[in-house]
Amino acid sequence: MPMWAGGVGSPRRGMAPAPTDDLFARKLRQPSRPPLTPHTFEPRPARGPLLRSGSDAGEVRPPTPASPRARAHSHEDASRPAATPTRLFTDPLALLGLPAEEPEPTFPPVLEPRWFAHYDVQSLLFDWAPRPRGTGSHTEASSGTLALAEDQTATSDLLLGAPGFVSELGGEGELGLGGPVSPPVPPALPNAAVSVLEEPQTRTTAYSLEHADLGAGYYRKYFYGKEHQNFFGLDEALGPVAVSLRREEREGSGGGTLHTYRVIVRTTQLRTLRGTISEDALPPGPPRGLSPKKLLEHVAPRLSPTCLRLGSASPKVPRTLLTLDEQVLSFQRKVGILYCRAGQGSEEEMYNNQETGAAFMQFLTLLGDVVRLKGFESYRAQLDTKTDSTGTHSLYTTYQDHEIMFHVSTMLPYTPNNQQQLLRKRHIGNDIVTIVFQEPGSKPFCPTTIRSHFQHVFLVVRAHAPCTPHTSYRVAVSRTQDTPAFGPALPHGGGPFAANADFRAFLLAKALNGEQAAGHARQFHAMATRTRQQYLQDLATNEVTTTSLDSASRFGLPSLGGRRRATPRGPGAELQAAGALMWGVRAAPGARVAAGAETGGPEGAEVPCLLGISAETLVLVAPRDGRVVFNCACRDVLAWTFSEHQLDLYHGRGEAITLRLDGAPGQAVGEVVARLQLVSRGCETRELALPRDGQGRLGFEVDAEGFITHVERFTFAETTGLRPGARLLRVCGQTLPKLGPEAAAQMLRSAPKVCVTVLPPDESGRPRRSFSELYTLSLKEPSRRGVPEPVQEEAIKVVLLPPTKQLLHFCLQDSSGPPPGPGDLTEERTEFLHSHNSLSPRSSLSDEAPVLPNTTPDLLLVTTANPSAPGTGRETPPSQDQSGSPSSHEDPSDSAPELRASILPRTLSLRNSISKIMSEAGSETLEDEWQSISEIASTCNTILESLSREGQPIPESGDPKGAPKCDSEPEPRSLSEKVSHLESMLKKLQEDLQREKADRAALEEEVRSLRHNNQRLLAESESAATRLLLASRQLGSPTADLA
């Protein structure tokens, strides 16, 4: 039965053209009108058969019905260049004042094979088409020249616009689907920071590093040091190529063996094909697996198999492949800093500044540490660390595992009577990113004043009120046109930023991302392409054997007697890969299946994209410029609504995007829906039309978040299937995040006919939330669960007293850095404790039958809790027995601060140990162990909440929301006894886990020994039988008696 059977989610046709009252336009748009007969006075040239875009050469396609506008222009010669005059006289619809009819965008082609699971974003963009050699052309280079709202000539008091450069003055936002969008809120990643798709990529800091090819470590992680095969050759169309193949096997839940193939295909283009393909998605082969030739015929059909030769066994081969893949990864960066005094603006004036002003020194002290160069052992960035020929001191710092050495103009050697200052320009002029520091009163910076071929990004920083307690900075960015945009996004006006650690992190992240983005520029892209081609040429020429691909051995693995190959899992088995499966789509922001486009205008235009869905992430990649325009964690997918060729996807707080797919009706949409059902907790929505009763009421109540809180009995709302716990995603064709609570409530009250899109609750009746929503709730209120709790209007708020606030601030913040600024991401992470039978998406996809629960997790464990601001603490409502006690605040113990100071670090250590045990525990952990972990976690949270209440008694751990406790164990009353009890329980749990690991290792060793003895006994029995048979033949006895 088709998946849309049922009435509510029945497939619908695509959008009809906008109706018009003009009879002439309606006549022209009739699809049954025959094509016009061409009339011309010039001889028509011979035309070949019409070919569809992306079809094979020589394949004749039937002519498709042309649009009325195309038929009206069929008399024009298509071989001649387009006419330059206005379309007023060539377009009959334009004569009527109708809007121009734009051509419909095409669907991007999808690589073969169809079910190849890509490892990262670069693999999605891999193209088999050969690139022109030596020209350095690449689609990545055009990513900085997008036709977006970038004002290349924008100017301000910090920066002047210049030809060939793009100015960013603040408020540009992030490049997303349909244009600039607001920066994402943690834990979501910026689009440019998404790289690896097969594995979870989490955001741990306030500012993410972008444009980094993190998938370059694929060979090191899955091939290096493991058994695999490398093939090199010179393809006629692709040039030098290098292929790495590896077969993996693992145990399935049914006792069988599951096999997958990991593949890497490297060509002269910088994008590498990396990923896996399951044996279930390949034609049936022998039990020992397919041969490399058969595998490459399916994975790389455009690669000539005759040109490949097996790589040599020299240790140079894997080292060269590591260098080839990881040449884009660098954790050492150099950044130039120019000093511009008041009234200065030219390059010569900045290079000739000898002394460092107070404002400049304050900025350098904030940015890094001044180090002595002589004897410096860390990254030196081509500075002399032996003879002080490049200066005695420099500025050095580290940020997110990167070493950064700054080339400061005033710290480099100064040459008198030399306006060029070549010793300084020799270093700063070769830096890709340059920071231009401006004192108050400086002239605006113009990038054309800097004469250099390497400097592609300029970060202009101007100080305001320097050397005062109110020092702040404003930032502007100038980049070359072929450098793509990079984050973090500037606020409106470029600031102001306070002189704190948050500004330092912002500026360092901006500098690192700028250098990484400049690697996609034409100049650096051509250099990287030449280097890559030399490596591949050397491997294909000097590191090959005479073994061809035809005679290469299979991926044979010795199979044990008790292990057998798993039976095929039936249709849909290829959808269970962990990597990203790909579809060609046309995407647009907003939801359109049930209702029309939310808004008109440019943001509603469809963009050809590649849709990739892995076990962790859903991405949309624009193949034209190679950038990610949308990304969403699979755990943030809420629901979907689909028709034959279209799908609306709801994610996050209820935002929606529309995906239009090509192919047979319902086929591609069915594949995407089946994939979403495997990797997410979402479900299909319901479209309800809610009539009003005689009094004009709808019969239900909804809160500000869109959750149904109450449904009246015997009303139309109850009859249509609306239940408490359901979630409104769309009201009258508008999504709730776009409407807002007030506009949605007004529409529900005043609309004559209310059509809503509803997300039903889960099996237990609780509302469905995305992971980002649960994460935000855990930061605000750690004790909150999936069901919204009623808010008490007159709740008494307890504010932390100064001693306790300082104690929590000291114990909970990172001691290695200064206090966090307003833009810092709090060091809080949420971990979900599932029951022993609830499989995670990764575990379900790696087994045979994925079972993903649709319920939201019951227990939220916050591993670290930082105060949101130095001046405000977490407000905790008091317990009931304490609200009426008059002596609760009269007898504070003098030893309470010392007691809290001694117990709080122990409690935090306990909770960190719990997180470590959770991460190390496997999927075979017993139910009582998970129960113990949940009990300890709940009690730790209770202790921390008790510590935040000044002079209040400790609440009982038998909270109805916590984990149940055993009645036989006495419950400690005092805080010290509770912590000691927790420590003993944790120690016992750790000992049990270690004992279980030791027993498991001993059992595995015993099994291996038994298998080895079994093989030895079988071999001895066969040998003894052979000797006995030979002896019997020599003695002349009949062999039939020995059979």
Side-chain angles (χ1 to χ4, degrees):
M1 181 175 63
M3 62 181 64
W4 51 71
V8 175
S10 60
R12 285 170 287 272
R13 296 290 182 181
M15 293 187 345
T20 176
D21 294 334
D22 192 280
L23 296 179
F24 180 67
R26 291 166 58 185
K27 189 68 175 177
L28 284 179
R29 290 177 179 175
Q30 289 181 359
S32 59
R33 176 174 175 172
L36 300 177
T37 304
H39 295 282
T40 180
F41 296 98
E42 299 179 1
R44 294 183 58 187
R47 297 185 180 181
L50 297 177
L51 295 180
R52 183 179 300 177
S53 176
S55 61
D56 297 333
E59 184 180 359
V60 180
R61 301 286 185 180
T64 57
S67 62
R69 187 181 303 274
R71 292 196 299 264
H73 293 282
S74 59
H75 64 281
E76 298 180 3
D77 190 0
S79 63
R80 291 183 297 178
T84 55
T86 176
R87 300 181 62 182
L88 181 61
F89 302 102
T90 59
D91 192 344
L93 299 181
L95 294 173
L96 303 175
L98 298 178
E101 182 182 352
E102 298 295 336
E104 192 176 32
T106 58
F107 291 93
V110 179
L111 286 178
E112 296 291 341
R114 181 67 184 84
W115 303 116
F116 187 81
H118 298 267
Y119 180 73
D120 59 347
V121 174
Q122 295 296 322
S123 180
L124 291 176
L125 295 168
F126 182 80
D127 191 4
W128 289 104
R131 298 290 176 182
R133 302 180 183 179
T135 59
S137 60
H138 199 273
T139 55
E140 291 175 351
S142 64
S143 58
T145 58
L146 299 174
L148 296 176
E150 293 181 338
D151 190 1
Q152 301 181 3
T153 60
T155 60
S156 67
D157 57 338
L158 277 71
L159 181 64
L160 295 178
F165 288 86
V166 178
S167 301
E168 297 180 9
L169 305 180
E172 288 82 7
E174 182 189 21
L175 295 179
L177 185 62
V181 296
S182 58
V185 179
L189 285 171
N191 289 330
V194 178
S195 179
V196 177
L197 302 177
E198 183 177 328
E199 302 165 0
Q201 187 178 352
T202 57
R203 181 175 181 177
T204 58
T205 58
Y207 306 112
S208 302
L209 299 184
E210 303 175 358
H211 298 282
D213 185 10
L214 301 180
Y218 187 66
Y219 181 80
R220 178 184 295 274
K221 186 171 184 178
Y222 294 103
F223 289 82
Y224 189 72
K226 301 178 178 63
E227 182 181 358
H228 66 282
Q229 294 179 348
N230 298 313
F231 296 91
F232 311 118
L234 296 174
D235 190 87
E236 296 181 356
L238 302 175
V241 294
V243 180
S244 299
L245 305 175
R246 179 170 177 260
R247 189 186 191 219
E248 291 182 345
E249 84 172 14
R250 62 182 183 273
E251 292 289 342
S253 60
T257 304
L258 306 178
H259 293 96
T260 56
Y261 296 94
R262 293 195 178 271
V263 182
I264 303 179
V265 178
R266 310 171 186 87
T267 62
T268 53
Q269 62 168 315
L270 297 185
R271 291 166 179 165
T272 304
L273 182 66
R274 311 182 185 102
T276 60
I277 189 168
S278 173
E279 277 193 352
D280 298 317
L282 297 173
R288 297 187 61 189
L290 297 174
S291 64
K293 180 181 179 181
K294 294 293 184 182
L295 177 62
L296 288 180
E297 286 179 354
H298 294 89
V299 176
R302 300 192 184 183
L303 181 62
S304 175
T306 58
C307 70
L308 295 179
R309 295 293 183 271
L310 183 65
S312 65
S314 171
K316 176 186 175 183
V317 172
R319 291 198 302 265
T320 305
L321 291 176
L322 276 181
T323 306
L324 175 65
D325 288 349
E326 298 180 359
Q327 65 172 336
V328 296
L329 297 179
S330 177
F331 297 94
Q332 296 176 339
R333 301 293 183 182
K334 55 180 183 176
V335 179
I337 301 181
L338 287 175
Y339 177 35
C340 183
R341 289 182 176 273
Q344 294 182 350
S346 64
E347 179 185 23
E348 289 77 10
E349 291 174 338
M350 290 185 286
Y351 272 117
N352 281 274
N353 288 325
Q354 302 183 43
E355 302 296 332
T356 301
F360 189 38
M361 182 55 67
Q362 181 187 16
F363 174 72
L364 296 180
T365 306
L366 175 65
L367 207 58
D369 302 323
V370 178
V371 296
R372 182 72 169 88
L373 285 179
K374 193 170 186 178
F376 187 69
E377 297 181 354
S378 297
Y379 177 57
R380 60 186 184 90
Q382 289 80 44
L383 296 178
D384 186 10
T385 58
K386 297 181 179 179
T387 61
D388 291 340
S389 62
T390 57
T392 59
H393 294 79
S394 187
L395 194 68
Y396 172 84
T397 190
T398 58
Y399 180 71
Q400 294 195 28
D401 299 330
H402 285 71
E403 292 184 279
I404 306 175
M405 176 63 79
F406 296 93
H407 292 155
V408 186
S409 60
T410 56
M411 294 183 179
L412 294 172
Y414 174 76
T415 306
N417 301 324
N418 185 359
Q419 292 293 324
Q420 296 294 329
Q421 295 296 330
L422 297 180
L423 292 180
R424 294 181 172 182
K425 195 172 183 179
R426 167 191 170 190
H427 294 282
I428 300 179
N430 289 325
D431 295 336
I432 299 176
V433 178
T434 304
I435 299 176
V436 180
F437 178 80
Q438 296 178 343
E439 286 185 346
S442 301
K443 296 180 181 179
F445 173 76
C446 184
T448 55
T449 60
I450 304 298
R451 295 178 292 274
S452 173
H453 295 287
F454 285 90
Q455 293 172 294
H456 280 57
V457 178
F458 296 95
L459 306 180
V460 184
V461 180
R462 173 166 294 189
H464 294 271
C467 302
T468 64
H470 307 287
T471 302
S472 62
Y473 300 95
R474 290 174 54 213
V475 181
V477 179
S478 178
R479 55 182 172 86
T480 57
Q481 289 184 352
D482 55 356
T483 300
F486 54 91
L490 291 174
H492 288 279
F497 294 91
N500 54 20
D502 179 70
F503 172 67
R504 173 185 178 271
F506 173 86
L507 197 60
L508 293 179
K510 195 75 172 176
L512 293 178
N513 293 340
E515 181 166 351
Q516 195 70 37
H520 299 305
R522 295 185 183 91
Q523 178 181 356
F524 300 110
H525 177 269
M527 296 169 58
T529 302
R530 286 195 298 267
T531 304
R532 184 182 181 89
Q533 186 174 2
Q534 292 174 2
Y535 277 113
L536 292 174
Q537 189 78 25
D538 177 68
L539 290 173
T541 305
N542 304 322
E543 301 297 335
V544 294
T545 63
T546 57
T547 304
S548 63
L549 191 64
D550 298 332
S551 57
S553 61
R554 300 180 183 273
F555 301 93
L557 295 175
S559 59
L560 302 177
R563 303 175 76 178
R564 59 181 179 82
R565 185 181 179 187
T567 57
R569 290 176 284 177
E574 60 276 356
L575 294 173
Q576 302 175 10
L581 303 180
M582 185 168 56
W583 290 269
V585 301
R586 298 205 305 258
R592 302 183 177 186
V593 169
E598 289 190 347
T599 55
E603 66 175 359
E606 294 181 345
V607 180
C609 296
L610 295 174
L611 170 64
I613 305 178
S614 70
E616 302 291 341
T617 312
L618 183 148
V619 294
L620 288 173
V621 186
R624 181 178 180 182
D625 46 39
R627 62 183 179 93
V628 178
V629 297
F630 172 81
N631 82 93
C632 170
C634 290
R635 53 191 177 183
D636 277 346
V637 175
L638 289 173
W640 50 81
T641 307
F642 61 91
S643 63
E644 289 183 346
H645 291 282
Q646 198 161 303
L647 181 139
D648 289 348
L649 187 69
Y650 299 90
H651 61 94
R653 298 183 302 110
E655 298 90 348
I657 60 172
T658 297
L659 305 176
R660 187 187 297 272
L661 294 95
D662 195 11
Q667 179 180 358
V669 172
E671 294 171 355
V672 173
V673 170
R675 177 67 168 170
L676 290 175
Q677 290 174 344
L678 288 174
V679 301
S680 71
R681 300 177 183 271
C683 64
E684 185 181 354
T685 61
R686 299 185 60 189
E687 305 289 338
L688 303 179
L690 303 177
R692 300 183 184 273
D693 58 8
Q695 300 178 358
R697 299 181 305 174
L698 294 175
F700 66 92
E701 297 178 1
V702 61
D703 61 6
E705 295 179 304
F707 293 104
I708 305 299
T709 58
H710 175 69
V711 179
E712 297 181 5
R713 297 296 305 275
F714 311 110
T715 59
F716 291 111
E718 185 185 26
T719 305
T720 55
L722 197 62
R723 296 291 181 266
R727 181 173 186 171
L728 296 183
L729 296 177
R730 186 169 51 188
V731 178
C732 298
Q734 303 287 332
T735 56
L736 253 65
K738 187 170 184 178
L739 279 176
E742 297 181 357
Q746 180 64 26
M747 189 172 294
L748 289 174
R749 285 193 297 262
S750 60
K753 182 179 180 181
V754 178
C755 297
V756 295
T757 301
V758 177
L759 173 62
D762 58 20
E763 290 80 359
S764 60
R766 296 179 300 178
R768 299 178 186 264
R769 295 180 182 270
S770 64
F771 173 80
S772 57
E773 291 179 308
L774 293 172
Y775 179 87
T776 305
L777 289 177
S778 67
L779 299 185
K780 295 179 180 179
E781 188 177 352
S783 62
R784 188 162 182 172
R785 301 297 183 262
V787 180
E789 297 179 355
V791 180
Q792 298 180 1
E793 298 179 356
E794 299 180 358
I796 303 176
K797 298 183 179 179
V798 179
V799 182
L800 295 179
L801 296 180
T804 307
K805 186 188 305 181
Q806 294 176 5
L807 177 64
L808 290 177
H809 186 71
F810 175 78
C811 294
L812 296 180
Q813 86 169 16
D814 187 6
S815 59
S816 62
D824 265 342
L825 172 67
T826 55
E827 299 288 339
E828 295 181 327
R829 289 176 293 177
T830 306
E831 297 198 11
F832 287 68
L833 297 180
H834 301 285
S835 59
H836 70 285
N837 57 354
S838 297
L839 301 178
S840 63
R842 291 299 304 272
S843 62
S844 64
L845 289 174
S846 61
D847 247 344
E848 292 187 357
V851 180
L852 295 179
N854 290 328
T855 59
T856 54
D858 296 329
L859 180 58
L860 293 176
L861 175 62
V862 181
T863 58
T864 313
N866 283 344
S868 59
T872 58
R874 180 184 299 175
E875 300 176 352
T876 309
S879 57
Q880 295 179 359
D881 57 349
Q882 152 184 38
S883 59
S885 176
S887 61
S888 59
H889 298 283
E890 293 179 359
D891 296 321
S893 176
D894 297 337
S895 61
E898 290 78 5
L899 181 63
R900 284 188 292 272
S902 61
I903 292 179
L904 182 58
R906 295 166 63 188
T907 308
L908 293 176
S909 177
L910 280 172
R911 204 166 57 177
N912 293 334
S913 301
I914 294 170
S915 301
K916 184 177 180 181
I917 292 176
M918 289 167 52
S919 61
E920 293 179 354
S923 59
E924 301 177 0
T925 310
L926 300 179
E927 181 178 2
D928 54 352
E929 296 175 356
W930 279 116
Q931 188 68 27
S932 301
I933 294 176
S934 302
E935 179 183 343
I936 296 175
S938 177
T939 312
C940 283
N941 286 333
T942 305
I943 293 177
L944 290 178
E945 291 177 3
S946 301
L947 288 175
S948 64
R949 301 189 180 102
E950 189 72 25
Q952 298 182 14
I954 304 171
E956 300 296 334
S957 61
D959 186 73
K961 298 180 182 178
K965 297 191 64 127
C966 181
D967 298 335
S968 61
E969 297 182 3
E971 185 176 352
R973 295 298 177 183
S974 65
L975 187 60
S976 59
E977 292 179 359
K978 187 180 291 291
V979 174
S980 301
H981 182 62
L982 281 176
E983 289 178 343
S984 62
M985 291 177 60
L986 180 62
K987 185 177 180 181
K988 183 174 182 273
L989 181 60
Q990 289 177 340
E991 292 176 355
D992 294 341
L993 290 178
Q994 293 294 334
R995 192 179 302 109
E996 182 186 356
K997 291 182 181 179
D999 295 342
R1000 186 181 303 172
L1003 182 60
E1004 292 177 355
E1005 182 65 27
E1006 185 177 357
V1007 170
R1008 284 195 294 267
S1009 177
L1010 290 176
R1011 288 178 178 176
H1012 179 72
N1013 294 335
N1014 187 21
Q1015 292 179 357
R1016 182 174 56 81
L1017 291 175
L1018 288 176
E1020 291 179 357
S1021 62
E1022 292 177 358
S1023 177
T1026 304
R1027 290 196 301 270
L1028 182 60
L1029 182 62
L1030 293 176
S1032 63
R1033 288 180 178 177
Q1034 292 177 359
L1035 294 175
S1037 59
T1039 58
D1041 299 335
L1042 299 176

